[in-house]
Amino acid sequence: MAAQNKRILCFIDECGTAGDPGFALGCVMAWARDCGRVDKSLSDLLEPNANELHAANLSREYLQGLLARFAQADRPEGMVLMNRLGTMTEGTASAIYAGNVIETVKVAVGQFRKLSRIRGQGLGNVELILDLNHHNTNPEFQRIIAEACQHDGRFKAVNRISQIDSAASRLLQLADVVAYARRWIQRGEANAKGLHETYGIQVL
């Protein structure tokens, strides 16, 4: 079992607008040491000249084919792919976004512990990486997240937060695709069981 203090990266992107019906987050969590391998596995499945992978601009057939092939790739132990519907709906868009990020991370930490067979000592040293937008750079968002880092259960595992352009990270782009899978459920094109069994995406 890997040591508890090894860094873990948690990538989160969204589908929809915070506060609107159907708003969902996609989460990818893995040991930092494995992220380069995951990046390469995904990149190797794309066209040689592929730029940013942005789910809203791609067909369902293409994305599902990509996810199916990625599910057969060499995936590291403990890696979490999760789609979580936004359950917090009160407050400003930034507060709603923050609340749903916090709850998503807390669930992902629990799943990561289980998949990585981590018992006993609490999980720590998680870096949260978000797709840069006007919600997660808002002072209200930053205040809520900072308070959660100090006081909110499993979210206290987070000790660093970064907002970056998704074009810079294949794993953040993967989180975007995982988030977008909620649209297939909403349209009746897929269901939670199928997403889990076929692509390894936990749907909550």
Side-chain angles (χ1 to χ4, degrees):
M1 183 182 69
Q4 239 66 341
N5 64 350
K6 297 294 185 182
R7 181 158 291 278
I8 300 158
L9 302 185
C10 179
F11 300 83
I12 289 184
D13 205 343
E14 77 279 352
C15 176
T17 302
D20 288 354
F23 174 68
L25 295 176
C27 174
V28 177
M29 181 177 279
W31 294 108
R33 63 170 186 248
D34 292 327
C35 287
R37 176 157 57 97
V38 176
D39 183 307
K40 185 177 187 305
S41 293
L42 180 60
S43 296
D44 285 349
L45 299 174
L46 303 174
E47 297 75 11
N49 61 345
N51 292 316
E52 181 178 0
L53 187 66
H54 191 58
N57 296 336
L58 297 165
S59 71
R60 173 172 59 89
E61 292 75 16
Y62 176 86
L63 291 172
Q64 290 183 350
L66 177 64
L67 286 173
R69 288 180 286 134
F70 182 67
Q72 300 303 314
D74 181 21
R75 301 246 294 251
E77 181 181 17
M79 182 176 176
V80 171
L81 300 180
M82 185 174 67
N83 179 296
R84 184 176 181 277
L85 189 66
T87 55
M88 303 191 67
T89 58
E90 299 296 325
T92 67
S94 292
I96 292 169
Y97 193 101
N100 283 301
V101 165
I102 290 165
E103 294 307 310
T104 298
V105 171
K106 287 161 65 176
V107 174
V109 165
Q111 290 190 2
F112 190 85
R113 284 177 57 90
K114 180 179 179 180
L115 291 172
S116 299
R117 302 180 180 87
I118 297 171
R119 295 181 176 85
Q121 183 179 349
L123 197 68
N125 212 14
V126 174
E127 179 171 354
L128 174 60
I129 302 171
L130 302 166
D131 182 26
L132 182 69
N133 63 42
H134 63 287
H135 293 321
N136 59 45
T137 54
N138 183 284
E140 183 179 24
F141 174 92
Q142 295 175 347
R143 175 184 59 77
I144 293 170
I145 292 291
E147 290 176 356
C149 286
Q150 295 295 318
H151 306 295
D152 197 344
R154 287 177 174 166
F155 197 80
K156 291 189 290 185
V158 175
N159 62 12
R160 181 179 172 85
I161 301 160
S162 304
Q163 295 102 337
I164 65 173
D165 190 317
S166 61
S169 169
R170 283 285 183 223
L171 273 74
L172 200 49
Q173 293 165 37
L174 177 60
D176 173 63
V177 175
V178 171
Y180 192 80
R182 180 64 58 169
R183 289 284 185 258
W184 305 333
I185 295 175
Q186 293 164 347
R187 296 169 185 158
E189 299 167 343
N191 58 41
K193 182 179 179 182
L195 291 179
H196 184 222
E197 293 180 348
T198 308
Y199 313 122
I201 299 174
Q202 295 280 352
V203 179
L204 303 172

